[in-house]
Amino acid sequence: MKENSLLGRTFDFSVNIVLFLRTLPSNEELKIIKYRLIKSATSVGANYEESQGASSKADFNNKIRIVLREARESNYWLRLIAAVGYDSENLNKLIQESKELKNIFGAILLKVKQ
């Protein structure tokens, strides 16, 4: 059976976010952003994982819709971190990955609607 590479990719995204956040300073301006980002980024993988056991097409669609929203939110927080001066090569890779995940899940959602 072919392994679902998107499961691995969303899991890796969560792990990479956690590791990246450990590199940021612990200050008040980043406290809320880091909290919100870790919630949204880990939710991408968790909800995609849940979608694999969906009980119906409607359930699957709902989970994918949640994944897309969380990927969008993650992208927002990553861009905000870059905009306030914590830009790095690692951050740029995470921003790119969040864009790609948004595109992938947007395409999945469009396909299942047809």
Side-chain angles (χ1 to χ4, degrees):
M1 179 183 285
K2 183 181 174 188
E3 185 177 333
N4 185 334
S5 64
L6 201 47
L7 284 171
R9 193 167 171 179
T10 57
F11 181 82
D12 289 345
F13 180 66
S14 298
V15 170
N16 290 332
I17 290 291
V18 171
L19 296 174
F20 168 71
L21 291 177
R22 289 179 181 172
T23 69
L24 293 178
S26 295
N27 60 40
E28 287 301 313
E29 73 179 15
L30 288 177
K31 185 177 180 180
I32 301 296
I33 296 169
K34 289 165 68 172
Y35 176 73
R36 298 288 303 267
L37 175 56
I38 202 165
K39 285 184 65 172
S40 62
T42 56
S43 182
V44 170
N47 279 290
Y48 184 64
E49 184 80 37
E50 278 191 42
S51 77
Q52 300 306 289
S55 57
S56 66
K57 185 177 179 180
D59 186 32
F60 178 81
N61 291 350
N62 185 51
K63 295 288 188 235
I64 296 300
R65 199 171 288 113
I66 293 168
V67 172
L68 179 57
R69 277 197 316 256
E70 298 293 344
R72 285 180 174 153
E73 183 178 345
S74 297
N75 179 262
Y76 173 83
W77 295 121
L78 290 165
R79 290 183 297 118
L80 183 60
I81 291 169
V84 298
Y86 296 99
D87 200 15
S88 69
E89 184 178 335
N90 192 22
L91 176 58
N92 291 331
K93 287 179 184 177
L94 290 170
I95 290 170
Q96 182 60 36
E97 180 66 358
S98 68
K99 286 179 188 176
E100 290 177 18
L101 290 172
K102 283 185 348 179
N103 290 339
I104 290 166
F105 288 109
I108 290 171
L109 197 55
L110 286 174
K111 186 174 182 178
V112 295
K113 283 184 176 180
Q114 295 174 350

